[in-house]
Every structure is written in structure tokens, then in C-alpha cells.
Amino acid sequence: MSVDPAARAPTPPGSRSDVLQGLVEVVTFHSPESLYTVLKISPEEGYDDPLAPNLWRSMRLTAVGQIDAPNAGARLRLVGAWVAHRAHGRQFQFESYEVLPPLGVDGLVRYLASDAFDGIGETLARRIVEQLGASALEVIQREPERLAGIPGLRASVREQLVESVRSEFARHQLHAFLRSVGLGPRQSAAVVRKLGSAAEKRIRGDPYCLAGAVAGIGFGTADRIARELGLARDGPERCRAGLLHALQSAAEAGHSMLGRERLLEEASELLQLESERAKLESALAELIASELVVADGEEQGGGPALYLPYLAASERGLAANVVRLCGVDAVSALASDAQLAHYESQSGLRLDPDQRAAVLGLLAHPLALLTGGPGVGKTTIVRCVVSLAEAAGARVKLASPTGRAAKRLAEATGRAASTIHRLLLYDSSSGAFAHDARNPLPCDLLVIDEMSMLDVVMAHHLFKAIATASRVVLVGDPDQLPSVAPGNVLNDLLRSQRVPTFRLTHIHRQGRSSRIVVNAHRILAGQMPVLPEKGDLASDFFFFHAEDPARCAERTVEVVTERIPRSFGFDWRTHVQVLAPMYKGECGVDALNARLRSALGPASEEFRLGARTWRVGDRVIHTRNDYDKEVFNGDMGQVVALDEQGLSVQFPEKRVAYAADELADLQPAFAITVHRSQGSEYDAVVIPLVAQHYLMLQRNLLYTAVTRAKQLLVLVGSERALRLAIDNVRPSERSSGLARRLKSGAPITDSTP
């Protein structure tokens, strides 16, 4: 296992294939989650920074990268590149590593005396090496009895040493196997955590055990490993894995289930087994028999509907609880005509007949829906409902699916509002909710806003935690994009006609004066937006033509960084948001983030972790609800400081520190996807539209993007792409059985806890 330094001569810096080989002196920092590690290395002769010959004469060089369970005293071969860090000087940024055997007697002594082996100091380590020789590690593994009689080596320490050496060798061999099948450090560590020391045996037997069970490893990676290990392309393991992957892919696309024929077709195409239908049918029968796939009810047109188990349980449970809440006997209204008229008089409101009917109806049903587009007064109605319910003595709670949407609800109503996770008292350590069927929410009226964002799993947890005596008002716009996660809850509730619904359609005066609102409704109606005359800066809706994707990207950056700040005074770094349909392409989120970041100018500092580099000045978005930090999905901030172990982000309300292992919660955010923007509003929104994004150009996507803008909306792109988006209504359909379950009218039982 020795390495000839002359055979590992370093290549020019920046090539990402420089080599640093040496001994780990100190583990300065290590994150078990991200594996981000800072090491101090004593280099071996011949492994130089090409810009600093004779580097081995200097001690303790800094190396940074991802490594599993590093130990001082270990000998490593690192492959990466030399970089200059503004605060910490030159350091070696490695992308891969290899654990090497100790070099010479002194290296072996130092290794045995390291933290990897408890109870073995330098003196005892030297005695062991003197007794067993240069092959001490192999001897300890295979002939542990030869340790007997070494002065000072107690029996308990001897037994622990043998176990530790064998464990270390097994770990290195396992990681070497995982690297040999193409897994990186973080993936390998995740595999070991999930599958344990028997991981190699399990993977060789069925590589598809990796797919879905280990974060970051999907069917494609498992299938590649299976081919490398020689598994049959039509074997039962591959057929079962392909069917499960097809169902999981459908869930990622928003579907709660697939019909049998569609599932078999998609798995057949994925696996390229068009002529092996019988083997797929047999594999599907095995999955159903083992309850890894649930056949529950019928899809539209006949045939069984097939679900992943958690989606079947969630849809069934949600339907049961909707029926339970709708089945409550007549309830007394929380407000009368006279009380509403008094509220209008006191507040100065003048509601139209539809709005008055909505307020009184929502307060007279155990479960009811309020829907409508922008500018029709949904927020006004919610304020009325909450005020009148409170006046009647009701305990009211308000919530939305995301933190950003909850903040908007709180600002609009002047009351406290929370995410649904926080409402249900989610415990991140256990993954459970404190409020459930056994411990329902303590409220008399529950208002849930932004229902279009609510997926079937979260809706199931919410509805089972609502007491039968509580009333529920659901608020949402069915023309917005559906939830990112599986389900189409709002539209299914509407289609079922099981829930009393009040839809507002009249655009009120404040809405009619806004081209954003008017054009949002025109887009819904399949009409092109009304545009201002050239030079009309009084408008809030503009369209800049750019047919070519490259030109569209250039013009988008120009509009964001120059035209909007000059004409409207917005600081583009904080108040202008680019919303793109896709991540890829010249006008995708990734490319536009890079262009807009470049517009900030040269970086003063940066922090690299894996393939991503962070800089001071970067605009970022937090992508999950973090109740410890009190930062929520959709919250945006700016990177204001970096250090060797992470960075700090300034959000509107506070500054938050992120360690290296927490950076997965952040994404670049000068540009974000339209899906990511759901539940948020921005002062100014810029939307690039190119035919290159035709797969995602949909009417509800464009409508959602337009309605995110509060004061200014700018489209940049081709008229053809705009027309494609407006005309395309087909892709919004999702496969779900919720409406069917609710339409049946029969009592539904919920067997889930």
C-alpha cells in the first residue's frame, strides 16, 4: 500500500488534481453531518505546492474538504487544488482522499498512539512495534495472541486494541469499496450510517437497497452500481427497484398515486424492459404482497390505483377527517347580519353582497373554503371573519404552510400566525407532532391560508389534529401552482363538492388600478396581458422583448441591476426578485444567479464547500423551517461574514450563523424558481420567458409568478414563450384519489394514528 512520491508528482495549481500526502497533525474542525473538515498536515517530501518548493520543510499545512472520521496520526493522500484564502492564507482544498498505511516505525508508533486507539500512549505503542515489527497492524488483526507479554499492556486494553484495529481496517476496506463503486465521502458516510458494517455484503447482494434508503443516492446511482457488480438487467431486484422508483418519481412530480398500466409503462421505459412485461407484473405483485406498494381504490377509467404506503395512508386519513368535520350537525352561526353590519360601520368597510355572503357563510359552517384571485378581497374577508369570531368569544388560530406565508398572514390580520408545523408543535428530533387525534388543537376557529401550497401528507397531519367541535376556514387560490410535495388538496376539495365554498370574483377598485392584478386575471382567462405605452413609467407591468436565450439573460440582468434601480429606485440586491421557470439553461436559476452575483463585482471573501462557493454579499434563501434558529422556509437574507467553519446571514429581523454542516439549508437567491416563491411577495419581480423552457411554461406557473409582485412586474423574453405559457393548461393535472374518496359520500375510516 506504499506510494512512490515520484509517481504522484503534482500538476499545475487550479487543475483540481494537485496532490498533498502526509500525516494528520491536528483535526482543527470536523462536522459529522456535512463531513466538512479542516486538517493540519505535515507533508511528505515531494508533495509540494508548485508555487512553494520544498514545502515539506514547513509544518502543519492547512487542508480543507470532506472526510469521514479523521484522526490525528493518520496518513492521507489528498487530491485537490491549492487555493488562496483571504483570511487563512494558502490552503489545500481536497476533493478526494485515500487513507494510507503508516510510514516507517515512527509513523506506526504515532498511529497506534493516536486518538483512534484508547489507552495506547507513545511508550506502549513503541513497545508494541518493537515486539511485532513493521507488520504490527496485520499481526494484531490475525495473530492477536502475540500481544501477550508486552510490558504495560493490560488484558482489557489488549482486547480493545485488537477490536479497534480490526474495526479500523474494516472501515477503511468498506470505504475503499464504496469509493470503488463511485460514491463520494458524504455518500459513503451516509451508507455506513444506514447499513452498518455489513454494507458491502448487502450492496453486493442487492445494490438497489441504496436507492431511497440513503440520502443523496437514487435509483440511477444504484442501477449503475448494480451494472458494475454484474447484476442481471431483468432480475427481480432491478424490476422491483424500477417500479418503486417510478412511483417515487411520480410523487416528486406531485402525484399521490399512479394507475397500474401507467406504472408498468413508466417502469418498462425506465428499465428498457419493454419485452419483459411478465417480469414487471410479477415484481409488482411481490411489492403489493410485501406492502411496499398499496393498491387502494380505482383510478379514473378503471384499474387499481397504486400508492407508496405513506401516501395511501395520508390520503385515506385526510379524506376521513374532512368527512368527519363536514358531518357535524348544524352549528350556530358566529355572527349575524346585524353584527356584520355593525362591524362594517365600526371599521369603515363596505363589503359587496358576495363578500358579505362569504363572511356570514364561513362563520356558519363547521368547515368551509374561501377562494379567489388577486384583488378580490380575500384578506379583507379573513380579517372580518377573525374579528367577528373573536367578538363571539371564539379562540382563533391562524396558520400557513410556510414561514414566509405565515408572516404575510400575520401582517394582513394583525394577529399572530404560525407555520402548520409550529401550530402542531413539530419535534424535529422525533419527527412527530405533539398535536394529533389524541391531543387536538385547542381552538374554536382555525384559519389556514395559502391552501394551494398544502400537500396531502401535511394536510393529513393537520386535519387529524382538529377537534370535531372546532370550526375551520380554508383560504386559497386554486389557480396558483399546487404544492411542491405530492397531492392537489385544494383543487380536490373543490372538485369533491363536499366542502361549502365561497368564491370571490369581483376585482375591487384598488385592484383595478393595478395592471399586475388586471393582467393576472387576463392570464387566467387565456388572454395576453395589457402593456403600457412606451415610456409610461406610471405602469406597474412591463414587457421587454428578447427572442434569443442569451440575449434574454443579458437583458434580464440589465433590467434588474440598471433599469429598475434607475427608474424606480429599488435596491436590486435586496428588493428585486428574479423568478425563473427552471434551474437549467441560459435563463435558468443557476445561470442567472451566477450572472447576478458577477454584477456585484469581485468577491472580497469566499467559502467553498464541495462544488459550491459562498461569498460576502450573496443573496440567499433558507429552504426549510428551522425552529431552533427561528428561520423559516422562504426567508431571504444576505451573506455578511465568512470564517473557516461557515458563514453568517443577515435576515431582515436578525443575523444568523451557519456552520458548514448547515449550509444545505441555504440556496443562492438572486434568482429562484417560481415554485420556491410560493407564499411570498416581493416589491419587484422580473420573469425571464424563453421557449427553451417550454416544458415548464404553464398558465398557472406564470400566474403564480405574476401574483408574487407587490409594486412592479417585468417580463423579459419572447412573445412566443409568453403565448406558450398562457395557452398551456394541461400540465397542472395531478393523479390523486382524494376527490374520488370524498365524492363517494360514504363514511370513510382512518386507521392511521
Side-chain angles (χ1 to χ4, degrees):
M1 289 181 66
S2 63
V3 179
D4 176 10
R8 304 293 191 188
T11 53
S15 65
R16 310 307 300 176
S17 58
D18 297 342
V19 173
L20 174 63
Q21 185 167 303
L23 196 69
V24 177
E25 295 280 352
V26 179
V27 179
T28 305
F29 174 80
H30 174 68
S31 166
E33 289 78 19
S34 70
L35 304 188
Y36 179 73
T37 304
V38 181
L39 302 172
K40 295 297 183 181
I41 301 283
S42 290
E44 296 175 3
E45 184 171 342
Y47 290 86
D48 294 349
D49 178 344
L51 299 183
N54 301 320
L55 197 59
W56 65 88
R57 300 183 191 278
S58 302
M59 295 297 288
R60 298 194 174 185
L61 304 174
T62 300
V64 298
Q66 291 179 308
I67 187 170
D68 179 54
N71 289 312
R75 184 168 167 249
L76 300 177
R77 179 176 182 270
L78 308 174
V79 179
W82 291 98
V83 298
H85 192 283
R86 182 175 179 271
H88 304 289
R90 289 186 67 74
Q91 54 186 218
F92 192 80
Q93 210 166 69
F94 63 91
E95 294 184 347
S96 64
Y97 70 93
E98 181 181 356
V99 180
L100 303 176
L103 189 62
V105 170
D106 288 342
L108 189 52
V109 169
R110 184 161 187 173
Y111 179 63
L112 285 171
S114 71
D115 293 341
F117 306 103
D118 291 338
I120 308 293
E122 184 175 350
T123 300
L124 191 51
R126 191 166 296 279
R127 289 175 187 167
I128 293 171
V129 174
E130 288 172 353
Q131 176 80 19
L132 304 182
S135 302
L137 294 176
E138 288 80 0
V139 172
I140 292 170
Q141 284 188 89
R142 297 171 186 152
E143 302 175 73
E145 65 276 5
R146 290 177 58 184
L147 288 167
I150 295 177
L153 185 59
R154 300 190 310 274
S156 60
V157 176
R158 182 172 68 240
E159 291 172 5
Q160 187 174 2
L161 174 62
V162 173
E163 183 181 345
S164 297
V165 168
R166 286 175 173 171
S167 175
E168 279 290 291
F169 265 71
R171 185 171 67 85
H172 293 327
Q173 288 174 341
L174 176 54
H175 278 272
F177 165 72
L178 295 173
R179 287 197 299 273
S180 75
V181 295
L183 299 184
R186 194 167 184 179
Q187 289 177 314
S188 297
V191 169
V192 174
R193 283 195 298 269
K194 183 71 176 182
L195 303 182
S197 59
E200 181 175 354
K201 182 178 180 180
R202 288 193 60 186
I203 292 168
R204 288 188 182 279
D206 181 7
Y208 299 101
C209 69
L210 295 170
V214 178
I217 301 179
F219 174 81
T221 299
D223 201 37
R224 174 185 58 75
I225 293 172
R227 291 197 304 273
E228 291 177 4
L229 295 177
L231 269 72
R233 62 183 297 276
D234 61 349
E237 302 92 349
R238 188 167 188 260
C239 290
R240 290 193 297 268
L243 288 161
L244 288 173
H245 179 67
L247 270 180
Q248 184 58 50
S249 296
E252 290 170 1
H255 302 291
S256 299
M257 54 81 167
L258 287 180
R260 183 176 186 273
E261 288 304 310
R262 182 175 172 184
L263 174 58
L264 289 169
E265 287 173 9
E266 295 199 1
S268 175
E269 182 178 349
L270 168 72
L271 301 173
Q272 297 183 330
L273 294 176
E274 288 81 358
S275 61
E276 305 289 344
R277 172 75 175 234
K279 292 185 177 180
L280 284 173
E281 290 177 342
S282 175
L284 179 57
E286 290 177 22
L287 290 171
I288 293 172
S290 61
E291 299 184 343
L292 293 174
V293 171
V294 175
D296 190 353
E298 289 188 355
E299 62 167 331
Q300 189 174 1
L306 299 170
Y307 295 77
L308 293 171
Y310 80 99
L311 291 175
S314 295
E315 189 178 280
R316 190 184 305 120
L318 174 58
N321 284 300
V322 169
V323 170
R324 170 177 62 84
L325 292 170
C326 286
V328 175
D329 292 336
V331 296
S332 58
L334 290 177
S336 64
D337 279 314
Q339 288 168 322
L340 175 55
H342 178 71
Y343 174 80
E344 286 184 82
S345 175
Q346 292 292 107
S347 63
L349 281 176
R350 291 294 179 267
L351 302 180
D352 67 31
D354 287 344
Q355 290 177 318
R356 288 180 59 84
V359 171
L360 294 172
L362 293 169
L363 290 168
H365 289 91
L367 173 64
L369 266 164
L370 173 67
T371 74
V376 297
K378 294 194 301 296
T379 300
T380 298
I381 300 307
V382 170
R383 280 199 299 264
C384 291
V385 166
V386 171
S387 296
L388 289 167
E390 288 176 339
R395 298 168 298 167
V396 179
K397 288 187 179 293
L398 299 93
S400 287
T402 67
R404 195 69 190 158
K407 287 181 182 178
R408 286 182 54 206
L409 179 60
E411 291 165 0
T413 61
R415 273 86 169 173
S418 70
T419 63
I420 295 173
H421 277 78
R422 172 161 281 181
L423 176 76
L424 300 179
L425 300 180
Y426 178 68
D427 182 350
S428 58
S429 60
S430 66
F433 297 93
H435 287 298
D436 56 15
R438 293 179 291 269
N439 180 30
L441 290 164
C443 65
D444 302 307
L445 174 67
L446 175 64
V447 178
I448 302 295
D449 196 15
E450 295 288 358
M451 275 293 297
S452 63
M453 300 173 65
L454 190 60
D455 62 89
V456 68
V457 175
M458 196 66 242
H460 164 54
H461 287 293
L462 172 66
F463 273 74
K464 72 178 179 180
I466 301 172
T468 303
S470 297
R471 306 184 192 211
V472 186
V473 171
L474 308 175
V475 184
D477 183 348
D479 297 308
Q480 299 275 2
L481 285 172
S483 59
V484 175
N488 201 9
V489 174
L490 176 57
N491 277 285
D492 282 344
L493 291 174
L494 291 169
R495 277 197 291 267
S496 75
Q497 299 183 334
R498 192 91 184 232
V499 181
T501 300
F502 301 88
R503 177 154 193 156
L504 304 176
T505 58
H506 180 65
I507 303 175
H508 290 269
R509 182 167 300 173
Q510 63 270 29
R512 289 199 301 268
S513 65
S514 166
R515 276 204 176 98
I516 294 173
V517 172
V518 170
N519 285 332
H521 286 272
R522 288 181 64 85
I523 288 167
L524 275 185
Q527 302 170 350
M528 292 288 278
V530 176
L531 302 175
E533 297 292 331
K534 187 173 182 179
D536 177 11
L537 294 182
S539 178
D540 60 1
F541 194 108
F542 298 89
F543 184 26
F544 287 84
H545 289 271
E547 297 295 326
D548 176 73
R551 176 59 183 143
C552 180
E554 292 171 2
R555 195 152 201 192
T556 297
V557 174
E558 176 195 356
V559 166
V560 170
T561 63
E562 298 176 25
R563 288 178 177 263
I564 290 178
R566 184 171 61 242
S567 299
F568 298 95
F570 290 114
D571 182 345
W572 72 270
R573 296 168 299 179
T574 54
H575 292 282
V576 181
Q577 185 60 55
V578 176
L579 302 180
M582 297 177 70
Y583 281 100
K584 303 303 179 184
E586 291 174 284
C587 289
V589 165
D590 294 338
L592 289 174
N593 266 316
R595 283 176 176 265
L596 290 165
R597 175 199 252 186
S598 295
L600 289 174
S604 59
E605 294 184 63
E606 63 179 39
F607 176 87
R608 183 182 176 92
L609 180 61
R612 177 161 289 158
T613 301
W614 304 91
R615 297 177 177 178
V616 169
D618 281 352
R619 191 176 184 187
V620 294
I621 185 169
H622 190 91
T623 58
R624 72 176 183 89
N625 294 327
D626 187 327
Y627 297 101
D628 295 328
K629 293 184 183 295
E630 294 191 336
V631 184
F632 303 102
N633 184 18
D635 284 354
M636 284 190 170
Q638 193 171 52
V639 177
V640 293
L642 304 172
D643 59 38
E644 199 171 43
Q645 299 176 12
L647 54 83
S648 293
V649 176
Q650 183 64 55
F651 291 99
E653 297 85 5
K654 61 182 187 175
R655 179 167 166 163
V656 178
Y658 288 80
D661 59 324
E662 297 173 317
L663 293 182
D665 293 341
L666 295 176
Q667 295 288 333
F670 291 112
I672 61 175
T673 62
V674 180
H675 283 87
R676 180 72 72 189
S677 74
Q678 285 179 269
S680 299
E681 284 186 337
Y682 312 97
D683 291 330
V685 169
V686 178
I687 306 169
L689 291 172
V690 291
Q692 189 182 48
H693 289 163
Y694 70 94
L695 288 174
M696 291 296 292
L697 292 177
Q698 305 164 16
R699 185 182 296 178
N700 62 348
L701 183 138
L702 177 60
Y703 170 76
T704 299
V706 167
T707 55
R708 301 307 91 200
K710 291 194 289 187
Q711 300 180 50
L712 180 67
L713 189 287
V714 182
L715 302 176
V716 182
S718 72
E719 191 169 315
R720 175 170 171 263
L722 176 59
R723 173 49 72 185
L724 279 172
I726 291 173
D727 289 345
N728 185 6
V729 295
R730 179 186 55 81
S732 60
E733 291 300 319
R734 289 186 167 192
S735 296
S736 164
L738 179 60
R740 168 183 53 79
R741 294 178 195 273
L742 293 173
K743 276 182 178 178
S744 69
I748 305 173
T749 59
D750 175 19
S751 59
T752 61

